[in-house]
Amino acid sequence: MIELQAAVSGALNGSLFALMALGLSLAWGFLKVINLAHFALILLSGYLTFELATATGLGPIATIVVTAPLMFVVGAVIQLGYERFDVSELNSLLISYGLLIITVQVVTNIWTADFLRLPPEINPFSAEAVGVGSLRFPVPTLLAAGFAVVLVVAASLVLGRTYAGKALQAFGQDREIASAFGIDHRLLGVLLAGAAGASAAIAGMLFPIGGTLTPDLPFEWIGQVFAIVILGGIGNVTGTLYAGLLVGAISGLVAVVWTPSTSPFVVFSLVVIALVFRPKGLFPQKGG
Amino acid sequence: MRRRARILAVVSVLSVVAAACAGDSTTTTTEGTPGTTAATDTTVAPSTTAAPSTTAEGSGDPIVVGGTLSLTGAFAATGAIHKLAGDMFVERVNEAGGLLGREVQWNLLDDESDTANIAPLYEQLISQDQVDLIMGPYATPNILAAMPVAERYGYTLPQHTAVLAPLMTYACQFPGWSIGPEPNSFIPNQMADALDSLDGAVSTVALLTNESGSTAFISYGIADDPDDPSTLNILPERGYEVVADIPYPPGYEDWGSTAAQVRDANADLVLMNGLGVEANSLIDAMQQLDYAPPLMFALFPAPGPLLGLGDAAQGTLSVSIFEPNAPILEQMDPEVGEIVDEFAERASAAQIPYTVFETQAAASWNAWEILVQGVEGAQSTDGQGICDSLHSTGADLTFSGAVTFDPAVNNFWDTTEGLKQIQGAEWVMVWPEDIAAGALAGPTG
């Protein structure tokens, strides 16, 4: 039973990482931008959630009314910058790493490096769980799973059933040919980056709900999020969710069967194996 | 395709490096050149016990104390406490006439919480800036990195918080916070002493350990020596069964799984040799499973956030060398109360969330007092002279009393560390009984 609970808790935790990975995977897959600034937007959103909730008494979930549009704009502006300066895929990694470091420092200067935590009267979710039989589903990660499913379904529908989505897929496969067919890749890229920014706002909102904020959190996220992006398949939204759940469940299970210290070894071994044998991820898309 | 594979490889390497950096808690999380944030040029003031030199003439060049603190990065929250305590101390020294009649200036650099920056910055302070004295950085790995530089140049190194006493082998390093020469023996034995007083209310223990240096040292002793004193060895010897032993990596996130393991172990005491807000995360995760352990101990927690958990953290134990509880303050010099109050006021102004002058600030104050008293004893800023003076006369510390330094035990003095417990809205010293401000509360439920 403990193994099942650990796998469930781990999978739900993994869904939070999948939510963080979603925007990164889309930008990398379709825009050829490895946008580490995505972590900066998540961090900033977490702190803005904290600030809005504590200053105005707004419920933490409701803060996405403010943070999601804001991060949409920020994400779009960053993409405009990449477009304007014709930043290559590899250079985007380095530039966005710089943006991440700058953001971490700005956050530190504004909110200090100390631990920040929403008080229980504002955040009733942190210690709550939903029980099914003897299994417990922690509310903060259950919320993450819910948002992750909604965003993945929405992204899949947009990508698969709309002109914009199909255009993005075409652009992701071959920029020149797609442009030759009249696809406005700049506009689509900016919209996609904005949507990724909005998803970062949702992921960021979940961190103060589930725990404690510190400015150096992104450096704890990067490893696991990239593992999920790579295992899920770059640009593969449903694969990202599956990979998040899988990585989380495996981590949880390994933690109780062996020790928590073994989990990173197992997860990153999986990444290495996937890179060698399944470079397009564990969940390839049809025709991909 | 080849290009994509190359990028994937680069990203994978970066991811692993980032994960490792997060794990070490020493990652450079800030921009800029290390050391450029020379934050303070405050002039140090001695404590009440570090009276100004009687030979003070009020003339001559300032005495410059060089040092680094983690003003940004992973350790910045605690670095801010040490900076404030240092600022206050330096100001008091100068208000009292300076040191050897000279003004004291603190040349403080930002090490960005990055251990790799420590040695170059101390080299810079000593060889280029030619500071007269040095003060150690914060956090055990950083102090360990500064120690060889101090030794190479013959500087005395007072340091705030190094826990790994057996590794602090430089004869002229002097700890401001001592858990004795064997913290890996002292802490579990003191814990067992306290548990013994609860008349059998605790018999089983679930041990959780952050695998970073200082916490793993307390749980498992020196690596590769299974017979070294450790929590895992001592508690069973003292009659307490360790029913779960769960090591976890630094930066660990999946507390839900671990909480399930802890719940399954159903121990009387959850003993968490962890850091920062890990205890908060575990308590949250245990609550989500509808589980609250009868008693909990957290070794080096962030005290403010744990206190902020309210009822969920009631009764949680930790270690401390000083808590400003009213019964304790009543027994101390009135100036201690003034220091505590001023610190709270200035910490609030500096936006430090937890404004209580407790272990970290007291350790900082101790380290500065050791430095000042060493200089006064030697009547010079000569490193060896200061070192010899401290070895021969010890120091009289406002927050830890009179201490002596024996190089045979790496100068780790007889500890005054005790146990504190969350009772109501504050941390209360509860053990040992002779220094307690309140009674130790046993397990609940």
Side-chain angles (χ1 to χ4, degrees):
Chain A
M1 197 55 192
I2 182 182
E3 288 82 6
L4 183 58
Q5 178 66 63
V8 166
S9 296
L12 290 175
N13 201 40
S15 69
L16 175 56
F17 282 89
L19 189 55
M20 297 165 71
L22 186 61
L24 193 71
S25 182
L26 284 171
W28 193 355
F30 294 106
L31 306 179
K32 305 296 177 247
V33 167
I34 309 170
N35 189 20
L36 290 178
H38 189 68
F39 295 98
L41 301 194
I42 297 171
L43 181 73
L44 201 54
S45 301
Y47 275 90
L48 287 174
T49 299
F50 176 87
E51 193 66 40
L52 286 167
T54 51
T56 66
L58 203 62
I61 296 175
T63 59
I64 55 174
V65 173
V66 178
T67 57
L70 184 62
M71 291 305 135
F72 182 98
V73 172
V74 175
V77 168
I78 291 173
Q79 177 60 25
L80 279 172
Y82 291 144
E83 286 281 354
R84 166 69 181 80
F85 296 103
D86 198 19
V87 174
S88 70
E89 191 171 357
L90 187 56
N91 283 350
S92 70
L93 180 69
L94 303 175
I95 290 169
S96 60
Y97 183 69
L99 292 174
L100 171 60
I101 297 294
I102 290 168
T103 306
V104 166
Q105 188 57 56
V106 168
V107 164
T108 304
N109 290 346
I110 295 174
W111 285 283
T112 79
D114 219 329
F115 303 106
L116 292 182
R117 186 182 171 83
L118 285 173
E121 58 271 21
I122 292 175
N123 174 29
F125 307 112
S126 69
E128 293 299 315
V130 174
V132 177
S134 58
L135 281 180
R136 306 284 295 174
F137 297 81
V139 168
T141 47
L142 201 55
L143 282 170
F147 278 111
V149 168
V150 168
L151 288 187
V152 163
V153 169
S156 296
L157 288 174
V158 169
L159 286 172
R161 299 192 182 181
T162 66
Y163 170 79
K166 288 172 183 169
L168 267 173
Q169 293 194 49
F171 179 65
Q173 287 173 17
D174 193 319
R175 288 183 175 214
E176 284 74 23
I177 297 293
S179 298
F181 277 83
I183 291 173
D184 185 351
H185 65 86
R186 285 178 194 274
L187 177 63
L188 284 175
V190 167
L191 288 175
L192 180 66
S199 78
I202 293 171
M205 170 270 292
L206 291 163
F207 274 91
I209 284 181
T212 309
L213 290 170
T214 58
D216 60 333
L217 275 174
F219 302 99
E220 294 178 4
W221 302 331
I222 286 177
Q224 195 153 354
V225 169
F226 268 105
I228 289 167
V229 169
I230 291 166
L231 290 174
I234 296 163
N236 181 346
V237 288
T238 49
T240 302
L241 179 59
Y242 295 151
L245 296 172
L246 181 70
V247 165
I250 289 174
S251 293
L253 210 51
V254 169
V256 297
V257 174
W258 288 292
T259 68
S261 303
T262 323
S263 296
F265 172 80
V266 173
V267 168
F268 284 101
S269 296
L270 262 177
V271 172
V272 170
I273 292 167
L275 278 173
V276 172
F277 295 105
R278 304 289 294 264
K280 290 187 175 177
L282 299 180
F283 310 98
Q285 292 169 299
K286 286 177 186 171
Chain B
M1 191 64 195
R2 225 180 258 170
R3 179 180 165 77
R4 170 60 62 85
R6 204 164 54 232
I7 291 171
L8 275 171
V10 170
V11 168
S12 301
V13 169
L14 278 178
S15 302
V16 172
V17 169
C21 287
D24 284 338
S25 289
T26 54
T27 184
T28 304
T29 56
T30 56
E31 60 169 350
T33 309
T36 50
T37 10
T40 198
D41 198 20
T42 351
T43 358
V44 183
S47 75
T48 49
T49 56
S53 167
T54 51
T55 61
E57 296 295 331
S59 60
D61 295 333
I63 290 177
V64 181
V65 183
T68 78
L69 280 175
S70 301
L71 302 174
T72 54
F75 300 150
T78 315
I81 292 170
H82 286 279
K83 179 180 180 301
L84 178 53
D87 282 343
M88 284 175 55
F89 188 91
V90 171
E91 287 167 19
R92 284 170 177 255
V93 168
N94 286 327
E95 284 165 8
L99 183 57
L100 303 181
R102 295 160 63 186
E103 180 192 32
V104 178
Q105 291 182 351
W106 185 13
N107 183 6
L108 176 62
L109 305 178
D110 180 12
D111 58 44
E112 298 182 359
S113 306
D114 189 342
T115 305
N117 289 335
I118 298 294
L121 288 177
Y122 275 87
E123 287 273 3
Q124 175 194 319
L125 285 164
I126 293 171
S127 61
Q128 294 174 36
D129 300 347
Q130 298 188 328
V131 297
D132 300 293
L133 306 166
I134 56 172
M135 173 57 65
Y138 164 69
T140 300
N142 291 346
I143 296 165
L144 280 167
M147 191 171 67
V149 183
E151 186 167 15
R152 196 177 312 135
Y153 289 97
Y155 275 59
T156 286
L157 177 72
Q159 48 90 2
H160 315 110
T161 53
V163 173
L164 286 158
L167 301 185
M168 305 301 296
T169 51
Y170 175 38
C172 296
Q173 67 76 31
F174 295 90
W177 176 6
S178 172
I179 318 177
E182 285 193 310
N184 47 329
S185 170
F186 179 82
I187 287 176
N189 271 309
Q190 185 175 63
M191 190 72 213
D193 290 344
L195 296 178
D196 288 349
S197 75
L198 297 174
D199 298 327
V202 172
S203 61
T204 56
V205 176
L207 174 65
L208 291 94
T209 307
N210 181 317
E211 290 178 313
S212 68
S214 55
T215 46
F217 172 55
I218 304 301
S219 283
Y220 306 120
I222 295 291
D224 303 327
D225 182 358
D227 297 324
D228 201 46
S230 67
T231 306
L232 201 56
N233 289 338
I234 289 169
L235 287 185
E237 288 168 12
R238 298 285 302 263
Y240 297 95
E241 184 187 359
V242 178
V243 293
D245 172 23
I246 307 170
Y248 58 88
Y252 183 57
E253 294 275 350
D254 189 9
W255 293 104
S257 310
T258 303
Q261 244 182 321
V262 172
R263 182 187 62 175
D264 199 50
N266 197 26
D268 300 322
L269 167 68
V270 172
L271 198 159
M272 188 176 201
N273 286 337
L275 300 164
V277 290
E278 291 166 355
N280 290 57
S281 300
L282 179 65
I283 290 171
D284 278 347
M286 290 190 297
Q287 276 192 297
Q288 288 161 355
L289 299 181
D290 268 349
Y291 176 69
L295 191 60
M296 179 144 176
F297 170 88
L299 182 58
F300 299 132
L306 199 48
L307 202 58
L309 283 182
D311 290 344
Q314 279 302 306
T316 299
L317 292 158
S318 187
V319 296
S320 177
I321 61 169
F322 175 74
E323 294 298 318
N325 303 135
I328 292 173
L329 291 178
E330 283 168 12
Q331 295 172 23
M332 300 183 82
D333 190 296
E335 192 175 1
V336 171
E338 292 170 18
I339 293 168
V340 167
D341 291 343
E342 184 185 341
F343 182 89
E345 192 179 311
R346 293 176 61 165
S348 183
Q351 293 187 313
I352 296 173
Y354 188 60
T355 60
V356 177
F357 189 103
E358 45 87 73
T359 293
Q360 293 290 343
S364 199
W365 204 271
N366 281 354
W368 279 103
E369 284 188 327
I370 289 168
L371 180 64
V372 165
Q373 290 178 31
V375 171
E376 292 188 327
Q379 284 295 296
S380 83
T381 56
D382 173 64
Q384 192 57 50
I386 297 167
C387 184
D388 292 343
S389 169
L390 289 168
H391 281 146
S392 63
T393 60
D396 188 9
L397 306 178
T398 303
F399 293 94
S400 298
V403 300
T404 57
F405 302 108
D406 180 0
V409 291
N410 296 342
N411 296 329
F412 279 80
W413 32 277
D414 290 343
T415 181
T416 53
E417 182 165 285
L419 296 177
K420 63 181 178 180
Q421 186 170 40
I422 295 180
Q423 296 185 354
E426 66 173 338
W427 287 97
V428 178
M429 285 297 288
V430 293
W431 193 268
E433 286 170 338
D434 59 329
I435 61 165
L440 170 65
T444 55

